[in-house]
């Protein structure tokens, strides 16, 4: 769990709590900072909040850390190259 909390903290630190608060619909920069701080026991981030942060930042280090904690690897799907409609038909 510590690796997950560190990954959340690193994402917030790298992208900026103020920018995340504004872009991921949090009430304040302070709230984001408190929830991301692994040493702040009374404020913990919930799954919805983490989802909003990852969706806004496109930074999936917390998801990767969580997968690794359960023995899984997180790998992005390969998207096939697009083809035009006429070729497809």
């Amino acid at each position: 769990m510590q690796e997950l909390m560190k990954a959340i903290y690193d994402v917030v630190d790298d992208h900026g709590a103020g920018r995340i608060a504004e872009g991921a619909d949090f009430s304040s920069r302070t709230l984001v900072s408190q929830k991301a701080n692994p040493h702040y026991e009374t404020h913990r981030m919930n799954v919805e909040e983490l989802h909003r942060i990852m969706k806004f930042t496109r930074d999936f280090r917390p998801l990767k850390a969580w997968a690794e904690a359960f023995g899984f690897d997180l790998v992005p799907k390969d998207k096939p190259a697009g083809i035009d409609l006429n070729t497809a038909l």
Side-chain angles (χ1 to χ4, degrees), residues 13-43:
D13 189 46
D14 290 350
H15 293 275
R19 192 169 153 255
I20 290 172
E22 190 175 305
D25 197 32
F26 283 86
S27 60
S28 73
R29 178 188 77 71
T30 304
L31 179 62
V32 174
S33 294
Q34 288 174 341
K35 287 188 173 243
N37 185 340
H39 304 293
Y40 208 114
E41 295 295 323
T42 58
H43 286 81

Side-chain angles (χ1 to χ4, degrees), residues 7-17 19-20 57 59 61:
I8 293 169
Y9 177 81
D10 290 344
V11 168
V12 171
D13 189 46
D14 290 350
H15 293 275
R19 192 169 153 255
I20 290 172
T57 63
D59 190 329
R61 285 179 282 178

Side-chain angles (χ1 to χ4, degrees), residues 35-77:
K35 287 188 173 243
N37 185 340
H39 304 293
Y40 208 114
E41 295 295 323
T42 58
H43 286 81
R44 290 290 184 188
M45 191 167 293
N46 65 41
V47 175
E48 180 198 350
E49 292 164 337
L50 181 56
H51 177 88
R52 289 190 335 242
I53 288 173
M54 289 190 301
K55 185 175 180 181
F56 174 71
T57 63
R58 307 303 295 165
D59 190 329
F60 301 103
R61 285 179 282 178
L63 186 58
K64 184 177 188 302
W66 208 357
E68 287 175 355
F70 288 100
F72 291 90
D73 291 323
L74 183 68
V75 287
K77 289 183 181 180

